[in-house]
Amino acid sequence: MTQPHREFSEAFDDYHVVHAGFLYPERKHWFHRELSQVGVHKYQIIESQPTASDDLRLDRFAATHTNSGAILSVTDAIRRSMTKAYDDGLESVCLFEDDIVFRDSFRTGWSEVQREVEQIDWDVLFFYRWHFVPIVESSSPVRLVPIEETFCTHAMAVRRRAFQGVQAALDHAVAAGTAHDTPPFFQCLRSRGYKTFATTQNLVGQGAGLTSGLSQVVRGTNKTDVFRVRHPLDFRWHARDGLFRLRRLKNQVLGRTRALVSSRDASERPG
């Protein structure tokens, strides 16, 4: 018998947002609007806290990260999210960072992949994928695929049996002196036998420069659009593979160079 369609807002037991309110209070309005647009009106905010200056973990990041305090703040908030989900008796939780952005085609993509989300035996699920190997975003319908690793943690769903596994992977990343959203985190999940999946199309992105660039966001509506933000060098939004983004960047740079050359030539031309 065909299973009934479930809206995204009904797919998981709860929804958490990690919010760095002490750094970016304006993001509260941002993620509330984003979640509302995909039908999620009930969620819990997990406030990240400033990292104490005497936190011994800071020493592990001294040589690799200048923003180690912010990294640890988010890491600890994600840990608390997993603890709360476990203590609340949840079977699943969907976790977002506070700069989450949903693609205009999210509802369509979700409707295509929803049954696989219910039927496939996954532990951790990402609604996007950073492509470390040259692959082209597949055509519709959106599917789930097993992955070994990705990058970032701005939109992931976790099932109960992996709550503690995510915490262990966070600890592993910190011990390695790397951010919580880098390959060591995913490698630890894999080494512990957790099944990690991602959607074949990126259904979400991450809004860079939210403090100064909210109004600059242009949403992509078809599969060949790359999400654009205020800063063209920022790759944190992605709609296709890295090769496509690099080609786009190359064209942007060449276009600006030609414009500058033309402007210079015009100014040097005798009247």
Side-chain angles (χ1 to χ4, degrees):
M1 188 174 79
T2 303
Q3 294 180 336
H5 171 72
R6 297 179 67 187
E7 295 294 335
F8 179 69
S9 59
E10 304 170 338
F12 308 99
D13 288 351
D14 205 355
Y15 299 80
H16 290 179
V17 180
V18 170
H19 176 42
F22 70 99
L23 285 175
Y24 308 109
E26 72 283 354
R27 290 186 180 180
K28 190 170 185 179
H29 170 73
W30 172 267
F31 65 73
H32 176 75
R33 185 178 67 177
E34 288 295 316
L35 289 168
S36 295
Q37 289 177 346
V38 296
V40 178
H41 302 287
K42 295 181 179 180
Y43 54 85
Q44 301 198 54
I45 299 175
I46 310 296
E47 291 282 357
S48 61
Q49 304 297 328
T51 303
S53 59
D54 59 353
D55 193 316
L56 297 177
R57 296 175 299 172
L58 291 170
D59 295 337
R60 298 171 182 165
F61 294 86
T64 56
H65 292 82
T66 58
N67 60 337
S68 53
I71 290 171
L72 289 174
S73 176
V74 175
T75 299
D76 291 344
I78 296 175
R79 288 188 103 270
R80 293 202 309 276
S81 170
M82 296 298 103
T83 297
K84 181 168 181 53
Y86 182 86
D87 292 345
D88 288 348
L90 304 182
E91 290 301 319
S92 64
V93 65
C94 194
L95 176 69
F96 307 104
E97 293 184 15
D98 60 6
D99 53 357
I100 184 67
V101 182
F102 292 90
R103 214 173 162 177
D104 280 347
S105 58
F106 179 86
R107 287 180 182 271
T108 299
W110 171 253
S111 68
E112 293 171 350
V113 79
Q114 172 252 328
R115 286 188 176 85
E116 285 196 348
V117 171
E118 294 183 350
Q119 295 170 358
I120 290 179
D121 184 28
W122 54 267
D123 295 309
V124 184
L125 169 62
F126 296 89
F127 299 98
Y128 62 91
R129 186 169 178 210
W130 276 86
H131 302 319
F132 288 100
V133 294
I135 63 174
V136 176
E137 184 178 89
S138 65
S139 59
S140 295
V142 180
R143 305 292 301 275
L144 289 189
V145 291
I147 61 171
E148 293 189 354
E149 61 186 38
T150 182
F151 197 76
C152 295
T153 54
H154 51 279
M156 65 177 180
V158 186
R159 282 181 167 158
R160 183 176 183 84
R161 63 190 180 218
F163 290 165
Q164 292 181 326
V166 167
Q167 291 180 321
L170 292 170
D171 294 341
H172 175 75
V174 170
T178 62
H180 60 281
D181 55 0
T182 53
F185 169 79
F186 302 96
Q187 292 162 3
C188 182
L189 287 176
R190 187 172 72 252
S191 70
R192 289 172 174 263
Y194 292 106
K195 304 179 184 69
T196 307
F197 281 74
T199 51
T200 53
Q201 294 179 23
N202 294 332
L203 302 182
V204 299
Q206 202 168 4
L210 283 180
T211 302
S212 58
L214 286 177
S215 62
Q216 304 295 327
V217 172
V218 180
R219 298 172 181 275
T221 55
N222 64 58
K223 295 182 177 63
T224 59
D225 280 346
V226 169
F227 286 146
R228 288 156 287 186
V229 293
R230 188 174 181 216
H231 306 291
L233 292 179
D234 198 317
F235 289 151
R236 290 172 73 80
W237 286 37
H238 39 286
R240 293 195 66 172
D241 59 278
L243 180 62
F244 182 89
R245 296 196 307 276
L246 288 175
R247 285 174 179 167
R248 184 183 182 89
L249 175 62
K250 178 182 176 182
N251 291 336
Q252 288 177 336
V253 171
L254 288 176
R256 291 185 180 185
T257 301
R258 293 190 187 103
L260 288 173
V261 170
S262 297
S263 176
R264 184 197 63 190
D265 291 345
S267 64
E268 293 175 352
R269 194 174 299 129

